[in-house]
Amino acid sequence: MKCPRCDVDLKSTDLGEYGFVIIDVCPDCRGAWFDKGELDRLDESIWTDVEKLDFETAANQRSALECPRCGGDTEPLSPHDAGELVVDRCTSCEGFWLDKGELDKMKEVAAEKDNETLKNMILLQRPPGWSWLRWSIYCLREYYRGNVQRPLP
Ligand SMILES: [Zn+2]
Ligand SMILES: [Zn+2]
């Protein structure tokens, strides 16, 4: 696969701190391609249920790219409640292209949303829409940070 911006070969890269996902990253511009479903597997992500996310098209913000996977057109999309974040989704294969920095921005948005969620919780309860895996990892992390007394609820 080639980078839709630079036309150089994308390299398979482990996302590391973001979760156990192998994605295709451009060595030049550091943009990244996520096949359909791969964004859902991110550790901390507002995209956990990406199929059901409410998007609005963010046309005019940037021009359409050619999908590196299937050659289809991408459309710029902004999930509701995600601030200024705009990503490109292929209208055919439904993969996503994220430019450099967008993953970090996504993580920030996710952290903000998580804080909001947690503020609204009286007891430790698995927030709606969170998988058990995501919830367990979150609880363990909070336990090691000393924010909760038990590793798991
Ligand atoms: Zn590139
Ligand atoms: Zn495509």
Side-chain angles (χ1 to χ4, degrees), residues 70-120:
C70 73
D73 290 331
T74 65
E75 57 175 344
L77 292 172
S78 178
H80 289 299
D81 307 326
E84 301 291 295
L85 181 64
V86 180
V87 296
D88 297 286
R89 179 165 68 168
C90 175
T91 53
S92 303
C93 69
E94 296 179 11
F96 285 89
W97 178 259
L98 268 65
D99 286 322
K100 179 179 185 274
E102 285 174 351
L103 198 57
D104 289 328
K105 217 189 266 180
M106 210 165 84
K107 216 178 161 182
E108 278 169 31
V109 173
E112 270 169 37
K113 280 176 85 89
D114 287 352
N115 284 340
E116 266 170 45
T117 306
L118 293 168
K119 252 187 262 161
N120 294 329

Side-chain angles (χ1 to χ4, degrees), residues 3 6 26 29:
C3 174
C6 321
C26 174
C29 69

Side-chain angles (χ1 to χ4, degrees), residues 49-65:
D49 210 352
V50 75
E51 302 304 323
K52 292 191 195 122
L53 264 185
D54 206 4
F55 287 105
E56 60 190 38
T57 48
N60 303 325
Q61 296 205 21
R62 60 166 99 172
S63 54
L65 298 170

Side-chain angles (χ1 to χ4, degrees), residues 110-127 130 135 138-139 142 145 147-148:
E112 270 169 37
K113 280 176 85 89
D114 287 352
N115 284 340
E116 266 170 45
T117 306
L118 293 168
K119 252 187 262 161
N120 294 329
M121 284 165 43
I122 302 163
L123 294 168
L124 273 181
Q125 276 175 352
R126 183 165 62 110
W130 281 31
W135 177 227
Y138 175 81
C139 290
E142 289 304 293
R145 283 175 181 161
N147 294 338
V148 294

